[in-house]
Amino acid sequence: MKLFGLNITKANTSKPTESTESSQHRIKANPVGIVGLRESSGIVDEEFLYDLRWPQAGAVYQEMASNDAVVGASLYLIETLIRSVTWKAVPSGSAPQDKEAADFLTSCMNDMEDSWDDFICNVLSMLTYGFSFHEILYKVRRGPLENRPTLHSKYTDGRIGWRSLPIRSQATLDSWVFDKKTGRAVAFRQDPSRVGAEGAQVDIPIQDNLLFRLNSTRGNPEGTSLLRRCYRSWYFKRYIEELEGIGIERSLAGVPVLQPDEATPLFDKNNPEMVELMAWAESLVNGLRQDANHGVILPYGWELKLLGPEGKNNLDTNQIINRHETRIAMTMLSDLILLGDSGSGSFALSETKQDLLTRSITAIINSICAVLNTQAVPKLFALNNWQLEEYPQITTDTLKPPTLNEVALLLRASGLDITSNLELYNMFMKLLNAPTATTEEEMARTLSTSNNSAGASQIQDEADNKFKQSDMSYT
């Protein structure tokens, strides 16, 4: 039949057969293809430079982080900024059981053998090496009087908590164990002998443990080091600095040259006496280069002189080294540490660079939180048989909180009154590093006593002035 010019057919109300249901609701659970990560015998083969493949890469990245001033300063800047934020557990909802679960998670974070800050410090080794692998160890919380590590705790509730989240050193990595069907890494193969420790090789499963990476392109368990992109600049910078040192030495000390008299066939290898004399001459010259000799006694007719560079070298190695240092800092988004070093730079430029660095660090923090919230937190609550629709999340405070003036301008522009909102009032007081209020009555008492204070008037006047200057930005 036709309705409004369209062909309408009667719906089939008969019960579908079993084969029809299975074909319509077939769910794909098993993969057909593979990830495509290049590996051979457990060794990842993605890197095209041999020196940057594991285990050689570990020694190279350690040298870069420890020996280079710009690389070390950039890493230190990023690490200290990440460690400066406050790590906390937030409830998934407003129900009492959600707050109880968040409090329990917080207690587990602060009840480990090592502090949470030590754990984060070890996690941040992934900045240098590209990845950081940690085991999850548990304990039964039986109180502070228990001597056994598997039972010792601040709490006596008998729940299962985290005993420790120890790192497994990147230097102990022998290879990875891959699933042949999917191509994914399933275990960290550790060889203690690589660091001089005793013990046999062990395969530590990645599942139920923690693998932190800066990125996971094609499922690469090794990630990518933050230093990888600045390796080329670091390599040339180091080489030029070594040449510069050699040139300075030769310019200041010269190259010792020992010339025998014409009657001495010093290079006659068939004459044992000349061979012995040649060895003495070489040791004499080497002793002068190493500053091991206080004086020199020469045979009659021999001449000793120091050769220095002829002419003046117009090549400015300092400019070349500065160029490579700038590129190193740029690849790590930390080139703001070089602002003003060359006598140039502006406040606006520094703010832009600081914002870029803050955003990149925030992404690193979010990746750490994601691993914890997907791997560690669900397993912890499952072991305690804690039934929740959503688990609490580990997160951090804002890396760069708004300034007092920015908040004041925003409140003025939006017409918000902090005296009528307890949560907004507490946020404002935290920016002042002042005590917060737990109830609206306490907030009202605090406001009544400080309403006419000079400090509040000064802040208001400063905010009013800045608001008037920026008035066009809000209209």
Side-chain angles (χ1 to χ4, degrees):
M1 59 177 293
K2 284 190 175 182
L3 183 63
F4 302 115
L6 301 175
N7 293 323
I8 305 298
T9 58
K10 185 178 180 181
N12 185 9
T13 57
S14 60
K15 186 177 180 180
T17 61
E18 185 176 352
S19 60
T20 304
E21 284 185 335
S22 61
S23 63
Q24 291 178 348
H25 303 286
R26 186 177 299 161
I27 298 176
K28 182 180 179 181
N30 297 319
V32 177
I34 62 172
V35 176
L37 180 71
R38 289 193 293 267
E39 61 89 15
S40 176
S41 301
I43 304 298
V44 178
D45 196 23
E46 289 287 317
E47 176 57 58
F48 58 87
L49 292 180
Y50 176 78
D51 288 342
L52 297 185
R53 296 179 186 173
W54 283 91
Q56 297 87 353
V60 175
Y61 290 140
Q62 185 178 11
E63 181 184 356
M64 294 176 66
S66 302
N67 273 3
D68 190 275
V70 176
V71 173
S74 300
L75 287 175
Y76 182 73
L77 172 64
I78 297 173
E79 290 173 2
T80 51
L81 286 175
I82 294 178
R83 293 175 62 184
S84 67
V85 299
T86 301
W87 296 77
K88 59 185 178 181
V90 296
S92 59
S94 57
Q97 59 267 27
D98 295 326
K99 186 178 184 305
E100 181 186 1
D103 292 339
F104 169 70
L105 182 56
T106 301
S107 70
C108 291
M109 294 169 62
N110 299 321
D111 188 35
M112 299 191 298
E113 293 178 355
D114 299 319
S115 67
W116 187 261
D117 182 69
D118 291 339
F119 164 67
I120 294 299
C121 184
N122 284 321
V123 170
L124 293 180
S125 64
M126 69 174 180
L127 300 176
T128 301
Y129 299 105
F131 71 96
S132 178
F133 184 67
H134 298 250
E135 281 195 72
I136 304 178
L137 305 182
Y138 299 94
K139 65 182 177 183
V140 180
R141 312 202 303 185
R142 293 286 179 82
L145 299 180
E146 285 284 353
N147 294 325
R148 286 174 291 181
T150 55
L151 300 176
H152 182 80
S153 172
K154 299 178 184 178
Y155 308 95
T156 57
D157 52 16
R159 288 175 174 169
I160 297 176
W162 288 324
R163 172 187 168 186
S164 180
L165 303 174
I167 189 173
R168 297 298 169 244
S169 172
Q170 293 89 348
T172 63
L173 172 64
D174 178 79
S175 59
W176 301 91
V177 179
F178 289 90
D179 187 327
K180 295 182 179 180
K181 293 183 178 179
T182 63
R184 290 188 174 275
V186 295
F188 175 97
R189 179 163 292 165
Q190 185 181 46
D191 184 4
S193 65
R194 289 185 176 272
V195 292
E198 296 181 357
Q201 285 189 0
V202 291
D203 293 345
I204 308 174
I206 294 178
Q207 187 177 6
D208 298 330
N209 289 302
L210 303 173
L211 178 60
F212 299 94
R213 295 168 287 182
L214 280 181
N215 63 56
S216 56
T217 304
R218 289 192 289 277
N220 188 350
E222 296 173 358
T224 302
S225 169
L226 191 64
L227 311 183
R228 174 60 186 90
R229 293 178 177 87
C230 66
Y231 172 76
R232 179 178 172 86
S233 294
W234 169 84
Y235 179 85
F236 285 115
K237 172 178 173 284
R238 182 189 63 168
Y239 183 65
I240 293 171
E241 286 177 338
E242 291 175 353
L243 293 179
E244 188 180 50
I246 295 173
I248 292 174
E249 179 193 10
R250 292 179 176 177
S251 297
L252 296 178
V255 179
V257 177
L258 184 60
Q259 182 176 354
D261 62 291
E262 296 180 357
T264 303
L266 188 61
F267 297 96
D268 186 1
K269 296 183 180 180
N270 296 323
N271 188 339
E273 185 178 351
M274 292 299 104
V275 172
E276 183 178 356
L277 190 60
M278 171 64 84
W280 171 82
E282 290 178 348
S283 64
L284 176 63
V285 173
N286 290 332
L288 290 175
R289 287 293 305 274
Q290 298 170 6
D291 198 22
N293 296 331
H294 295 285
V296 178
I297 299 176
L298 297 177
Y300 178 78
W302 289 48
E303 183 181 359
L304 177 64
K305 56 185 178 181
L306 297 175
L307 290 183
E310 298 181 0
K312 183 178 179 181
N313 187 359
N314 295 323
L315 184 62
D316 187 1
T317 57
N318 190 53
Q319 183 179 0
I320 300 174
I321 292 174
N322 287 340
R323 182 185 71 196
H324 288 301
E325 287 184 342
T326 302
R327 290 181 177 179
I328 290 173
M330 284 175 57
T331 60
M332 304 174 73
L333 290 182
S334 59
D335 46 331
L336 59 89
I337 64 176
L338 301 177
L339 284 179
D341 185 60
S342 59
S344 61
S346 64
F347 179 76
L349 180 61
S350 67
E351 285 227 323
T352 302
K353 291 181 179 295
Q354 183 179 0
D355 183 62
L356 289 174
L357 178 63
T358 302
R359 289 176 181 271
S360 65
I361 293 177
T362 301
I364 296 174
I365 294 175
N366 291 339
S367 69
I368 296 174
C369 292
V371 173
L372 292 169
N373 291 326
T374 56
Q375 300 296 327
V377 174
K379 184 66 178 295
L380 177 66
F381 281 90
L383 290 174
N384 286 279
N385 198 25
W386 206 313
Q387 303 297 328
L388 291 171
E389 291 187 2
E390 292 187 16
Y391 298 116
Q393 301 284 300
I394 295 177
T395 185
T396 66
D397 290 336
T398 305
L399 183 62
K400 183 184 177 184
T403 64
L404 184 62
N405 288 327
E406 290 173 343
V407 174
L409 288 171
L410 179 61
L411 294 175
R412 179 69 178 271
S414 57
L416 294 176
D417 183 10
I418 65 171
T419 61
S420 60
N421 188 310
L422 179 61
E423 184 176 356
L424 195 60
Y425 168 82
N426 285 334
M427 184 194 74
F428 193 76
M429 297 304 285
K430 287 180 180 179
L431 292 175
L432 289 171
N433 290 323
T436 57
T438 56
T439 62
E440 293 185 357
E441 291 78 10
E442 183 181 353
M443 177 181 68
R445 288 195 302 270
T446 304
L447 290 172
S448 63
T449 57
S450 60
N451 194 27
N452 297 321
S453 65
S457 177
Q458 182 180 359
I459 293 173
Q460 182 65 33
D461 292 342
E462 186 177 352
D464 286 343
N465 292 335
K466 289 202 172 188
F467 181 79
K468 291 175 182 179
Q469 295 173 6
S470 307
D471 187 59
M472 293 303 294
S473 303
Y474 296 95
T475 55

